Amino acid sequence: MEELEIGRWGERRVREQVVRTAFTALPDHAFARMPGLRRLDLSFNELTTLPESFFRLAHLETVDLRYTKLGSPILDRLRNALPHIRVEW
């Protein structure tokens, strides 16, 4: 797999009832079986952290993190661990 889009997974309501909750975190192994991933869209999720397997995506070129809730420590770690990727923030 080279591209994964799980962006815009925010809360969804139907007639005032929540039918889908937003992602706030992903399991540590979420990307473990995707070593060839090049493009990843996680935008519009309520993520506050990134799983450990994310930081091992050596072939990642682009990640979309717009409208997430990631703080400076995570973004700094991302820039240090994967300085070659383009981050949309």
Side-chain angles (χ1 to χ4, degrees):
M1 177 182 297
E2 290 188 357
E3 188 168 332
L4 178 62
E5 294 185 21
I6 52 175
R8 300 184 186 274
W9 191 262
E11 182 177 288
R12 181 167 179 233
R13 293 175 176 263
V14 173
R15 296 187 189 110
E16 300 302 317
Q17 183 177 1
V18 175
V19 294
R20 179 180 71 205
T21 58
F23 284 129
T24 56
L26 297 169
D28 279 342
H29 65 279
F31 304 110
R33 295 189 178 189
M34 302 178 206
L37 200 60
R38 295 188 183 281
R39 290 172 293 286
L40 177 59
D41 181 357
L42 297 173
S43 64
F44 293 91
N45 280 293
E46 295 182 18
L47 297 171
T48 58
T49 189
L50 293 170
E52 284 303 309
S53 58
F54 173 86
F55 296 100
R56 292 188 292 272
L57 293 172
H59 299 287
L60 194 63
E61 297 170 358
T62 303
V63 62
D64 188 345
L65 299 173
R66 291 176 296 153
Y67 302 101
T68 61
K69 294 185 177 184
L70 297 170
S72 295
I74 295 294
L75 295 173
D76 290 343
R77 181 174 178 205
L78 166 60
R79 288 183 193 110
N80 289 329
L82 301 166
H84 63 280
I85 69 170
R86 188 181 87 210
V87 179
E88 294 181 47
W89 174 246

